[in-house]
């Protein structure tokens, strides 16, 4: 620990240098990252302009569906460009014109003039964070409204009313206050009181918060936004419970969530403690898929659990947090960094919360590298989970469900390799189908597709409309 302290102190001394153009560096990083996003988006837009169905999907997707998927992708790409330009203009303005320092001074004045009983840096920081977050929310409202009530609605996905959208917004703000104030105060208090080794204590605190969130989120938060009901007795429930028992998955609850209340998109997930877990299935998935297809999707999800993917992701996340907090300890007292953004005077001081925000700006180039590496790793895990479902006997159903979900969600049928490598945490559809040995015979999800499962449970029914090469292979 002493060696680590000396290394941190040495690095901090080296980097606390007035000749380092901190503002110019952060602006350059921001512009460079945005330029990369624009370039990758342009490459993907060219793919979304194609009219020919990918060779691997010509037996499964008709031209009308493909054209609609491409149009949906282009609409989202245009939206991303406009919202991205707006977000970039905001970020550059905040940095260039020292708006953090101006807002800090403004909220400090409000605090002094108010009758609020608390004073000091923690109270000031919480007021600053709330004001900044509220401004960000208000500025993003037009984009959120357009996305849900124009873009998503135009393609039949938006199911929420204006009232529900506003209610969700207010609930989100209320939850941010309810959890943000005590957690933010604790975060700052720990840093203030634990000295040079604060990064270790704040890391342990953050891990505890994450584990607590995993526990209370499905119990307290989800019911505030959605209705959860037990999966009714029937073939699906029996098959899912049988799958869980076979894999020794500690299933405690099996529920349906009213995802159709807001969107036509489909999904399924599991959550809970290691010894007591819950499987949640979207009603849209049940309505649009056969029993075997839902079972195949859940086999994929339980494959993540069986192979320890969730645990490994948590460990990677924990390690990344420790590195980030350790690096932050190098910058927390960097006078030159604070001064470059209008802080460090008698009026402003060097607030911890501001130091963390500026530190994130300095660290931003590494975000792109970490994002790329994490996507490579998570794509590998998705292939492993697909292979797990395949090995459980859900070959045809898995292929059918992947194609159906792609069609129902109008997800991009193809992608530029560079764009997908940087942005996608999941492999594209054609890659996943190839990995499980799929070859198509007829369309999936068409009028002739059987909605009801045959119930044989062997994963060999052709109701999904696909044939899978079941010879042993390396996936």
């Amino acid at each position: 620990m002493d060696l680590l302290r000396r290394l941190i102190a040495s690095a901090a001394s080296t980097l606390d240098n007035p000749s380092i153009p901190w503002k110019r560096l952060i602006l350059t990083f921001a512009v460079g990252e945005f330029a990369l996003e624009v370039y990758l988006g342009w490459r993907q837009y060219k793919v979304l302009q194609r009219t020919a169905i990918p060779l691997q999907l010509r037996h499964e997707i008709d031209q009308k569906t493909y054209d609609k998927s491409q149009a949906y992708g282009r609409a989202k790409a245009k939206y991303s460009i406009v919202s991205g330009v707006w977000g970039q203009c905001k970020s550059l303005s905040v940095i260039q014109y020292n708006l953090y320092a101006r807002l800090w001074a403004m909220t400090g004045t409000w605090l002094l003039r108010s009758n609020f009983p608390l004073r000091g840096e923690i109270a000031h920081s919480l007021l600053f964070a709330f004001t900044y977050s509220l401004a960000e929310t208000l500025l993003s409202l037009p984009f959120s409204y357009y996305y849900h009530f124009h873009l998503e609605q135009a393609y039949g996905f938006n199911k929420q009313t204006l009232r529900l959208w506003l209610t969700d917004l207010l609930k989100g703000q209320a939850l941010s206050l309810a959890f943000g104030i005590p957690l933010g105060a604790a975060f700052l208090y720990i840093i203030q009181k634990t000295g040079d080794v604060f990064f270790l204590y704040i890391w342990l605190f953050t891990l505890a918060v994450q584990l607590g969130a995993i526990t209370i989120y499905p119990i307290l938060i989800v019911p505030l936004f959605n209705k959860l009901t037990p999966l009714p007795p029937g073939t699906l429930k029996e098959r899912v419970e049988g799958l869980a028992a076979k894999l020794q998955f500690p299933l405690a609850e099996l529920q349906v969530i009213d995802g159709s209340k807001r969107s036509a998109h489909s999904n399924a997930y599991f959550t809970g403690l290691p010894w007591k877990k819950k499987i949640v299935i979207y009603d849209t998935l049940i309505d649009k898929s056969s029993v075997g297809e839902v079972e195949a999707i859940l086999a994929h999800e339980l494959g993540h659990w069986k192979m320890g993917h969730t645990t490994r992701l948590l460990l990677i996340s924990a390690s990344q947090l420790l590195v980030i907090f350790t690096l932050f300890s190098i910058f927390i007292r960097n006078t030159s960094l604070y001064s470059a953004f209008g802080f460090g005077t008698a009026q402003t001081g060097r607030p911890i919360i501001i130091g963390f925000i500026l530190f994130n700006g300095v660290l931003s180039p590494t975000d792109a590298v970490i994002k790329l590496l994490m996507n490579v790793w998570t794509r590998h895990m998705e292939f492993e989970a697909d292979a797990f479902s395949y090995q459980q006997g859900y070959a045809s159903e898995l292929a059918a469900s992947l194609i159906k979900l792609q069609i129902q969600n109008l997800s991009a049928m193809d992608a530029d390799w560079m764009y997908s490598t940087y942005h996608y945490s999941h492999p594209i559809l054609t890659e996943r189908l190839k990995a499980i040995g799929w070859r198509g015979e007829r369309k999936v999800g068409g009028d002739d597709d059987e909605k009801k499962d045959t119930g044989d449970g062997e994963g060999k029914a052709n109701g999904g409309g696909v044939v899978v090469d079941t010879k042993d292979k390396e996936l």
Side-chain angles (χ1 to χ4, degrees), residues 37-51 70-81 412 414-416 419 424:
E37 293 281 359
V38 170
Y39 173 68
L40 294 176
W42 171 75
R43 290 180 63 100
Q44 177 64 5
Y45 196 83
K46 289 172 65 179
V47 174
L48 293 170
Q49 290 179 312
R50 294 173 183 170
T51 57
Q70 291 288 84
Y72 180 53
R74 290 194 299 272
K76 289 197 297 182
K78 291 174 183 176
Y79 169 83
S80 295
I81 290 172
D414 202 359
D416 171 73
Y419 180 90
Y424 289 175

Side-chain angles (χ1 to χ4, degrees), residues 185-205:
F187 184 91
L188 295 171
Y189 182 81
I190 291 170
I191 294 177
Q192 284 183 345
K193 298 299 180 181
T194 53
D196 293 337
V197 292
F198 78 85
F199 58 90
L200 181 59
Y201 291 97
I202 206 65
W203 175 65
L204 293 173
F205 170 73

Side-chain angles (χ1 to χ4, degrees), residues 251-365:
L251 179 63
E253 294 180 85
L254 186 53
Q255 295 184 318
V256 179
I257 188 170
D258 60 341
S260 58
K261 180 180 179 181
R262 292 177 177 80
S263 174
H265 293 294
S266 302
N267 202 355
Y269 64 91
F270 68 86
T271 186
L273 299 169
W275 58 89
K276 182 181 179 182
K277 293 191 177 292
K278 174 196 298 186
I279 291 177
V280 179
I281 308 172
Y282 278 59
D283 55 356
T284 48
L285 181 62
I286 295 174
D287 291 342
K288 297 176 180 179
S289 304
S290 71
V291 170
E293 289 161 2
V294 175
E295 196 177 0
I297 292 169
L298 292 176
H300 167 96
E301 295 301 326
L302 296 186
H304 285 304
W305 168 80
K306 194 72 174 178
M307 290 180 283
H309 292 165
T310 306
T311 302
R312 279 187 271 170
L313 281 173
L314 286 173
L315 291 174
I316 290 293
S317 175
S319 301
Q320 184 181 352
L321 279 174
L322 181 58
V323 171
I324 288 173
F325 290 139
T326 303
L327 291 175
F328 177 47
S329 66
I330 296 174
F331 288 87
I332 192 171
R333 297 183 181 87
N334 191 310
T335 304
S336 61
L337 176 61
Y338 279 99
S339 298
F341 291 88
F343 288 89
T345 65
Q347 290 75 25
T348 60
R350 289 178 295 179
I352 294 170
I353 189 172
I354 299 297
F356 195 71
I357 292 172
L358 299 179
F359 162 71
N360 277 309
V362 174
L363 198 66
S364 63

Side-chain angles (χ1 to χ4, degrees), residues 41-110:
W42 171 75
R43 290 180 63 100
Q44 177 64 5
Y45 196 83
K46 289 172 65 179
V47 174
L48 293 170
Q49 290 179 312
R50 294 173 183 170
T51 57
I53 300 173
L55 182 62
Q56 302 92 329
L57 297 173
R58 286 179 184 173
H59 291 298
E60 306 301 335
I61 298 169
D62 57 46
Q63 190 66 47
K64 182 178 179 181
T65 300
Y66 181 72
D67 290 343
K68 187 176 181 181
S69 169
Q70 291 288 84
Y72 180 53
R74 290 194 299 272
K76 289 197 297 182
K78 291 174 183 176
Y79 169 83
S80 295
I81 290 172
V82 175
S83 61
V85 169
W86 170 241
Q88 187 71 4
C89 289
K90 285 191 302 178
S91 298
L92 296 181
S93 297
V94 168
I95 295 170
Q96 180 63 34
Y97 299 109
N98 291 342
L99 295 187
Y100 288 133
R102 294 169 187 250
L103 183 59
W104 181 262
M106 186 186 302
T107 50
T109 301
W110 293 348

